[in-house]
Amino acid sequence: MRLLQVAPEVPENAAAIRAELLASLSAAPATIAPKYLYDALGSRLFAAITELPEYYPTRTEAAIFAEHQDAMAAALGPVATLVDLGAGNCEKAARLFAALRVRRYVAVDISLHYLRESLGNLQQKHPAIEMLGVGLDFSQSLRLPAEVGTEPRTLFYPGSSIGNFTPAEARVFLRQAHAECCGGSLLIGVDLVKPVDVLEAAYDDPLGVTAAFNRNLLRHLNRLAGTDFDIADWRHVAFFNGRESRIEMHLQARRDTTVRWAGGERRFAAAERIHTENSYKWRSEDFAALLETAGFSRLRHWCDARGWFAVFAAQA
């Protein structure tokens, strides 16, 4: 097992991150990119979210993989290298190792610390598979390091993370993914449009795990940007925006509050929000058209019986 940090957090990079965050906080309305939800604790909280009964995507997608993995393997062809984008705890990819006959596994995640632990455990269970962990933020640009090699590979992007991109951003990302397949293939999970009550419960569970995941972002900002957010001043808000076909997550001020940092501050009125994440929901025919505009061909997809979720396989 090898680990590679593509963009080490040198002081210059830390300064750029701080500048980006403070600019986003100072904007009207304030926004924070969802990639900052995933520090080590945020990654663990998201893993807990996937265990919630309200959070249907993980178990629905897992059922699709379990039922159709042989058909997926046939559609993809030989998978010498599986590149897992946003690998997290690596469990989704690991369930496909046997069916896809994976010989080399490249786990890519923004949190190298969390990835190190996950990949270490996985290597013990699959010692015959060569493994490489890559610490990389691909939210702005997907470009894999030279250590991944140049042979055709299968890019694996499960869990409906493509929904964090606007449709225009998704098109750009998929075109980059097409290039990074190096003539190989793509296997991607897509969350579909469904009843609003089902969607909203998945992103605002009664146990409050998703709220903790969202509010933990403020702790991360305090570390990265030197802000002084008091988590008690903020609550989690999530709802479905039907016009945009997306779930939105926000942090809403419980009262008038001022957030300060070295050299500046931002006043938030009671009920003012910080937009932290979007999750777009697709219709299968629209997503197929998007893949084709990005250059993919020979598309196949599999859905659950309710039509809540889809997994697409496509050739580059």
Side-chain angles (χ1 to χ4, degrees), residues 110-258:
I110 193 171
S111 176
L112 186 64
H113 175 78
Y114 184 65
L115 190 61
R116 180 183 289 109
E117 179 181 335
S118 302
L119 204 57
N121 293 334
L122 190 64
Q123 183 73 86
Q124 293 181 28
K125 297 176 183 177
H126 301 275
I129 297 178
E130 179 188 351
M131 295 188 182
L132 171 65
V134 178
L136 173 66
D137 172 17
F138 55 84
S139 62
Q140 299 298 319
S141 177
L142 175 59
R143 186 172 183 180
L144 296 171
E147 287 81 356
V148 177
T150 58
E151 72 281 356
R153 72 283 295 256
T154 294
L155 267 60
F156 181 49
Y157 198 35
S160 75
S161 295
I162 189 68
N164 292 148
F165 297 98
T166 68
E169 291 167 345
R171 184 178 299 108
V172 171
F173 173 82
L174 289 171
R175 285 174 176 162
Q176 295 172 348
H178 182 271
E180 291 297 331
C181 285
C182 296
S185 55
L186 173 70
L187 188 63
I188 185 169
V190 184
D191 201 8
L192 303 178
V193 175
K194 60 185 62 63
V196 173
D197 61 332
V198 175
L199 285 168
E200 292 187 342
Y203 290 84
D204 193 8
D205 62 279
L207 195 59
V209 182
T210 311
F213 171 67
N214 199 13
R215 294 170 75 208
N216 177 66
L217 172 66
L218 300 178
R219 293 183 186 271
H220 199 199
L221 295 186
N222 285 346
R223 291 194 300 273
L224 292 175
T227 50
D228 66 348
F229 279 100
D230 183 344
I231 292 178
D233 289 338
W234 298 85
R235 72 180 187 94
H236 167 70
V237 173
F239 58 88
F240 183 65
N241 180 333
R243 183 172 60 86
E244 299 291 342
S245 192
R246 71 190 187 194
I247 281 283
E248 296 184 11
M249 291 205 324
H250 300 257
L251 290 164
Q252 181 172 295
R254 296 180 184 272
R255 58 188 68 85
D256 291 350
T257 185
T258 299

Side-chain angles (χ1 to χ4, degrees), residues 23-46:
S24 297
L25 278 177
S26 301
T31 62
I32 296 295
K35 64 186 178 183
Y36 292 111
L37 290 162
Y38 296 93
D39 63 349
L41 178 56
S43 296
R44 289 184 172 88
L45 285 168
F46 183 74

Side-chain angles (χ1 to χ4, degrees), residues 19-91:
E20 173 196 339
L21 289 170
L22 294 180
S24 297
L25 278 177
S26 301
T31 62
I32 296 295
K35 64 186 178 183
Y36 292 111
L37 290 162
Y38 296 93
D39 63 349
L41 178 56
S43 296
R44 289 184 172 88
L45 285 168
F46 183 74
I49 288 170
T50 66
E51 300 292 333
L52 296 170
E54 296 82 9
Y55 194 76
Y56 63 85
T58 301
R59 64 177 179 273
T60 305
E61 183 184 50
I64 295 170
F65 282 131
E67 182 177 355
H68 300 289
Q69 59 182 332
D70 291 340
M72 293 176 189
L76 294 171
V79 179
T81 299
L82 184 68
V83 179
D84 189 0
L85 300 176
N89 60 18
C90 306
E91 290 180 358

